[in-house]
Amino acid sequence: MPLGDPQTTQSDVTWTVSGRLNANSTTSFQLHITTEGTPASEAEGDLLLQQLVDVLSNRFAGVSGTKGFTSYTTRSMALT
């Protein structure tokens, strides 16, 4: 059976902001932001992530932001 053309799909994008109460604290936080839809909403998520990191960095220690998604590529088998 020959393989069909590859088809790639991407999951929703998730942004994560994490940090600590202070430099010596064992208390930490993590905030997840997920958008659905178009590439335009991905740009909004990028902006929101940056703004949250900027605001939270003034109050909490070790604040960082990450962006992640999963991409899948599949190929179907066609009957001959």
Side-chain angles (χ1 to χ4, degrees), residues 18-30 59-63:
S18 57
R20 297 196 166 282
L21 182 59
N22 60 51
N24 298 320
S25 178
T26 58
T27 302
S28 62
F29 64 86
Q30 198 168 62
R59 172 62 181 89
F60 300 103
V63 175

Side-chain angles (χ1 to χ4, degrees), residues 17-79:
V17 178
S18 57
R20 297 196 166 282
L21 182 59
N22 60 51
N24 298 320
S25 178
T26 58
T27 302
S28 62
F29 64 86
Q30 198 168 62
L31 172 68
H32 298 274
I33 305 160
T34 303
T35 67
E36 302 171 359
T38 67
S41 39
E42 187 173 338
E44 288 177 5
D46 292 346
L47 180 61
L48 177 59
L49 176 66
Q50 185 61 59
Q51 290 176 345
L52 278 172
V53 168
D54 292 345
V55 167
L56 294 173
S57 293
N58 292 326
R59 172 62 181 89
F60 300 103
V63 175
S64 64
T66 59
K67 175 181 177 179
F69 63 90
T70 304
S71 181
Y72 303 92
T73 300
T74 58
R75 294 180 79 177
S76 60
M77 295 184 82
L79 295 175

